[in-house]
């Protein structure tokens, strides 16, 4: 079945550091890939998405590229801010297009 | 649209009591999902509906849990009787059909069973 594996957290960085959160997936067909962010006390909200191989999703300085050859969708940001502290979830949506499969989430803390 | 609306935001109840969580999806969305989030188990899909019909309830932990969607604008998740291990944050989400479309989440209901 479909699955998503994220790098283990928590991740702690200093402000302005470079961020990478690894995400790999297992799926049949051609899934769409998503990154969600969850701020404390809130629900998950979409950060970015990519729907086909080599697509790059981007938003708020975050980027991720759909790599079919390595089945990966790593999240990157060049310079993190304290306000980026949150839990980040990688997810895929199967070809049939109904449900999302989420990774376990990665807690990011950015210190001033 | 106001987004996915869940109520209540917080619920504290005693063990053995019935608990009902409510969700109003985004108008026009075809799918509705109920998730549970805990520190130990992360984010778990409990059940989801397509056009008000339950499609997969394999994630519902026990018979104490039930979910309904009587119409396109309302769904409930009921726990009867509740137990302390049911304490978690419960999220409702909705989406349009299609493999490119994202799910929109509500703010969640934090349930504490004492």
């Amino acid at each position: 079945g479909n699955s998503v594996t994220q790098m283990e957290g928590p991740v702690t960085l200093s402000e302005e550091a470079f961020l990478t959160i690894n995400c790999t997936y297992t799926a049949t067909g051609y899934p769409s890939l998503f990154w969600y962010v969850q701020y404390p006390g809130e629900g998950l909200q979409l950060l970015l998405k990519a729907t086909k191989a080599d697509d790059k999703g981007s938003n708020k300085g975050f980027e991720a590229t759909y790599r079919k050859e390595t089945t990966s969708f790593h999240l990157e940001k060049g310079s993190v801010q304290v306000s980026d502290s949150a839990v980040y979830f990688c997810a895929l949506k199967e070809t049939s297009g109904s449900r999302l499969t989420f990774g376990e989430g990665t807690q990011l803390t950015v210190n001033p | 649209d106001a987004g996915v609306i869940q109520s209540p935001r917080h619920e504290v109840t005693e063990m053995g009591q019935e608990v009902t969580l409510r969700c109003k999806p985004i108008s026009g969305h075809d799918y509705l999902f109920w998730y549970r989030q805990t520190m130990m188990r992360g984010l778990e899909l409990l059940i989801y509906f397509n056009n008000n019909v339950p499609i997969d309830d394999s994630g519902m932990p026990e018979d104490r849990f039930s979910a309904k969607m009587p119409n396109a604008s309302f769904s409930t998740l009921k726990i009867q009787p509740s137990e302390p291990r049911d304490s978690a944050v419960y999220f409702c989400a909705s989406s349009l059909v299609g493999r490119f479309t994202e799910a929109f989440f509500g703010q969640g209901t934090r349930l504490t069973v004492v």
Side-chain angles (χ1 to χ4, degrees):
Chain A
N2 299 331
S3 67
V4 176
T5 302
Q6 291 183 230
M7 67 183 288
E8 289 189 18
V11 174
T12 302
L13 296 173
S14 298
E15 205 164 25
E16 299 184 4
F18 185 86
L19 168 71
T20 299
I21 301 178
N22 290 337
C23 171
T24 57
Y25 67 91
T26 301
T28 56
Y30 303 93
S32 294
L33 301 174
F34 304 81
W35 276 102
Y36 278 80
V37 59
Q38 184 181 28
Y39 299 104
E42 298 186 10
L44 281 70
Q45 51 186 277
L46 180 70
L47 181 59
L48 53 84
K49 70 179 182 182
T51 58
K52 63 181 187 297
D54 300 325
D55 261 4
K56 178 186 284 188
S58 61
N59 186 25
K60 300 181 182 179
F62 290 89
E63 293 183 339
T65 301
Y66 189 151
R67 300 288 188 199
K68 191 163 179 62
E69 64 275 14
T70 55
T71 61
S72 65
F73 193 54
H74 305 320
L75 182 68
E76 296 181 336
K77 187 174 185 181
S79 175
V80 293
Q81 306 300 311
V82 172
S83 57
D84 294 327
S85 298
V87 181
Y88 292 82
F89 291 89
C90 185
L92 69 83
K93 196 171 194 184
E94 57 198 21
T95 307
S96 66
S98 56
R99 54 193 289 177
L100 283 164
T101 299
F102 284 91
E104 56 270 31
T106 302
Q107 172 77 56
L108 170 66
T109 301
V110 180
N111 295 319
Chain B
D1 203 313
V4 176
I5 300 173
Q6 292 187 245
S7 64
R9 289 294 309 274
H10 302 274
E11 177 80 42
V12 180
T13 190
E14 292 186 348
M15 184 173 63
Q17 296 297 305
E18 177 180 295
V19 175
T20 299
L21 311 181
R22 296 172 175 79
C23 174
K24 176 179 167 53
I26 293 174
S27 177
H29 279 193
D30 310 276
Y31 285 89
L32 183 139
F33 307 87
W34 281 102
Y35 289 89
R36 178 172 68 175
Q37 186 177 39
T38 61
M39 289 294 292
M40 291 296 294
R41 302 173 71 92
L43 193 64
E44 302 173 276
L45 177 63
L46 300 178
I47 184 171
Y48 72 98
F49 296 81
N50 177 214
N51 293 328
N52 315 338
V53 176
I55 302 302
D56 185 352
D57 66 354
S58 59
M60 298 284 261
E62 300 172 36
D63 291 345
R64 297 184 296 107
F65 286 70
S66 62
K68 294 182 180 179
M69 193 166 184
N71 57 62
S73 58
F74 184 65
S75 177
T76 60
L77 178 67
K78 186 176 294 186
I79 309 173
Q80 165 65 16
S82 58
E83 296 183 3
R85 59 195 169 117
D86 301 331
S87 297
V89 181
Y90 291 82
F91 288 104
C92 176
S94 68
S95 74
L96 292 167
V97 68
R99 70 180 183 93
F100 304 136
T101 60
E102 66 266 33
F104 293 80
F105 282 74
Q107 297 273 58
T109 295
R110 180 173 294 277
L111 173 66
T112 303
V113 183
V114 298

